Amino acid sequence: MGVRQAQKQQSRRALMDAGLRLLEEQNLAGLGVREVTRAAGMSPAGFYRHFRDMADLGVALVEESLASLHVLVRSVLEERGGAEELIDRTVEVIEQHVRGNRAHVRFLARERHGGVRQVREAVAAELDRFAEEVGAALAPQSVSEGWSDEELRMLAGLYVEHMVSTAASFLEAPDPEAGRRIAATARMQLRLVSLGRRHWKDI
Amino acid sequence: MGVRQAQKQQSRRALMDAGLRLLEEQNLAGLGVREVTRAAGMSPAGFYRHFRDMADLGVALVEESLASLHVLVRSVLEERGGAEELIDRTVEVIEQHVRGNRAHVRFLARERHGGVRQVREAVAAELDRFAEEVGAALAPQSVSEGWSDEELRMLAGLYVEHMVSTAASFLEAPDPEAGRRIAATARMQLRLVSLGRRHWKDI
DNA sequence: TGTACATCAGTGAACGCGCGTTCACTGATGTAC
DNA sequence: TGTACATCAGTGAACGCGCGTTCACTGATGTAC
């Protein structure tokens, strides 16, 4: 990649970083081209060398945010161990991810039901893919014996939804103590779901 | 109430209705005073006879939206019957509520993690109150024997979170068939949680 | 009931401002020979 | 290596526009007697 390409890439990053930072306190729909370019140290017109409009930048941010979330989900699904350890590990990984990617997580929580259709749809489509992936990982487990595709999808959806809402809760935690309470609650909830899962086929 | 008061009330309603309608397609943070007054058939300056600013109108809408949700939650909690009927009834009530209050539900989903702090906090506080209320209703049930306050709060939180996410799903359903799928999934998820709940004290 | 005055919801004009987008441009980087 | 031209990321000025908010006002409603 030539110097010019590298510089362009750098400017694009600066715009996305500025956007991400500004979006911690406001909605994508309320974010302005001038605002972002100002924060990125660029002239307003320069924005258009990278994005068609703000929605376009939003979609780019969704892709980036969900890519890092994808890594997270995959890593949890690959873990092996007893139910209890898996639950502890899951909650721990969510908490760490939120800590390390506050802006991305906040952006997703905020724009998931936000005012920009393209962005909403991108988030929804990606969460569906997560659910599918989780479902595929649950299928071969012995506890899932006799489960239909529909039942697996239902369970996967419950897990994904729980992950999202737990991440959003961590985001709002005002202090470490609140974080610990959220983690404890999330672990109990996962334990309860796991129990229900084990007894699903008891008739 | 005199004629003048009644007319003022009517104008206030017109502003809130216009806001609610406009917020189906955008965020509160992106909504303008002129936009709302135009939609409500009032001059821009008239807005300030009713609200300090848009955030103020937002908080009024939260209160209204959550009042109707409160009625919903209460009605479900008061129902009596077998676990299976209660689950069916719960999902049915959620679906009906979304059908009859689309704009309010959408507003809540959108602004729960939206860009206006006051509004976010109002929603969070009210959802906490719901969870507490649900917890109080669960406590006396025989299945809850031996459950600590913490455990009851954890379960109540799971139910409230599930209600919110199910309502949001109904909102996005493009056709009746999708609605039926969402309802079926929600019922199964509640059944699974109910199973976990019954086996929570099995050691 | 009638009259004189007070209240105040809603108006219309005005303000200064920052917005998104366009344009011709500049000058560093890339390419062909 | 050097030269001549092409590309194109980023600039700075300009545009027209709708914004939030203020202000003095109007006229219907309310109140006191």
Side-chain angles (χ1 to χ4, degrees):
Chain A
M1 191 168 67
V3 175
R4 195 187 249 166
Q5 280 258 6
Q7 280 168 346
K8 181 169 186 185
Q9 208 54 35
Q10 208 172 18
S11 298
R12 189 183 149 95
R13 259 262 57 85
L15 286 171
M16 288 175 72
D17 285 341
L20 216 40
R21 185 156 44 78
L22 293 165
L23 285 167
E24 291 217 54
E25 313 229 328
Q26 68 188 293
N27 289 115
L28 182 61
L31 192 60
V33 168
R34 282 173 182 273
E35 204 176 351
V36 174
T37 51
R38 205 183 301 124
M42 187 187 288
S43 75
F47 180 85
Y48 300 95
R49 297 280 176 204
H50 301 276
F51 302 102
R52 215 172 329 105
D53 50 29
M54 285 304 306
D56 198 23
L57 184 143
V59 170
L61 286 175
V62 172
E63 279 159 19
E64 182 175 80
S65 302
L66 288 169
S68 71
L69 229 162
H70 221 99
V71 172
L72 166 83
V73 169
R74 224 179 266 280
S75 86
V76 170
L77 289 177
E78 277 166 6
E79 309 236 349
R80 289 286 160 263
E84 203 60 30
E85 292 90 60
L86 275 182
I87 286 172
D88 289 355
R89 189 74 190 111
T90 300
V91 174
E92 201 179 298
V93 166
I94 295 174
E95 186 167 13
Q96 274 176 19
H97 185 259
V98 173
R99 213 197 303 277
N101 302 270
R102 285 193 79 76
H104 282 105
V105 174
R106 172 146 278 149
F107 171 71
L108 286 175
R110 183 154 292 166
E111 300 303 331
R112 184 184 179 193
H113 296 109
V116 182
R117 181 192 303 275
Q118 292 164 270
V119 171
R120 269 198 324 265
E121 287 176 350
V123 175
E126 205 62 28
L127 288 182
D128 280 353
R129 281 190 48 213
F130 281 160
E132 207 160 313
E133 195 167 337
V134 172
L138 295 175
Q141 302 179 350
S142 60
V143 213
S144 305
E145 214 175 317
W147 285 53
S148 69
D149 277 5
E150 194 194 6
E151 289 169 322
L152 282 170
R153 240 181 292 126
M154 163 296 275
L155 179 60
L158 196 56
Y159 278 133
V160 169
E161 202 60 57
H162 186 261
M163 177 189 75
V164 171
S165 83
T166 301
S169 295
F170 275 128
L171 219 47
E172 309 285 337
D175 52 55
E177 174 49 28
R180 276 192 289 277
R181 269 203 313 277
I182 290 163
T185 300
R187 278 193 297 268
M188 279 194 281
Q189 289 169 338
L190 285 175
R191 229 175 283 142
L192 191 138
V193 168
S194 169
L195 269 174
R197 192 184 166 202
R198 277 209 285 280
H199 291 92
W200 184 251
K201 289 295 176 187
D202 287 358
I203 304 162
Chain B
M1 191 168 65
V3 176
R4 194 186 250 169
Q5 281 260 5
Q7 280 168 346
K8 181 170 185 184
Q9 208 54 34
Q10 208 171 20
S11 299
R12 188 184 150 95
R13 260 261 57 86
L15 286 171
M16 288 176 72
D17 286 341
L20 217 39
R21 184 155 44 76
L22 293 166
L23 285 167
E24 291 218 53
E25 314 230 326
Q26 68 187 294
N27 288 116
L28 182 60
L31 192 61
V33 167
R34 289 179 112 98
E35 203 177 352
V36 174
T37 51
R38 206 183 300 125
M42 186 187 290
S43 74
F47 180 86
Y48 299 95
R49 297 283 176 203
H50 301 277
F51 303 102
R52 216 171 329 105
D53 50 28
M54 286 303 305
D56 197 24
L57 184 142
V59 170
L61 286 174
V62 173
E63 279 161 17
E64 183 175 81
S65 301
L66 289 169
S68 71
L69 227 163
H70 221 101
V71 172
L72 165 85
V73 170
R74 225 180 266 280
S75 86
V76 170
L77 290 177
E78 277 166 5
E79 309 237 347
R80 289 284 161 263
E84 203 60 30
E85 292 89 61
L86 275 183
I87 286 171
D88 290 356
R89 188 75 190 111
T90 300
V91 174
E92 201 178 298
V93 166
I94 295 173
E95 186 167 13
Q96 275 177 19
H97 186 259
V98 173
R99 212 198 302 277
N101 302 270
R102 284 193 78 76
H104 282 105
V105 174
R106 172 146 278 148
F107 170 71
L108 286 175
R110 184 153 294 167
E111 301 303 331
R112 183 183 179 194
H113 297 109
V116 182
R117 181 193 305 275
Q118 292 164 271
V119 171
R120 268 197 326 264
E121 286 176 350
V123 175
E126 207 61 30
L127 289 183
D128 279 355
R129 280 190 49 215
F130 281 160
E132 207 159 314
E133 196 167 336
V134 171
L138 295 174
Q141 301 179 353
S142 60
V143 213
S144 306
E145 214 173 319
W147 285 53
S148 69
D149 277 5
E150 195 194 5
E151 289 169 323
L152 282 170
R153 241 181 291 126
M154 165 289 281
L155 179 61
L158 196 57
Y159 278 133
V160 169
E161 202 59 57
H162 186 261
M163 177 189 76
V164 170
S165 83
T166 301
S169 296
F170 275 129
L171 220 46
E172 308 285 337
D175 53 56
E177 174 50 26
R180 276 191 291 276
R181 268 204 314 278
I182 291 163
T185 299
R187 277 192 299 268
M188 277 195 281
Q189 289 169 338
L190 285 175
R191 228 175 284 141
L192 191 137
V193 168
S194 169
L195 268 174
R197 190 184 167 202
R198 276 209 287 279
H199 291 92
W200 184 252
K201 290 294 176 186
D202 286 0
I203 304 163

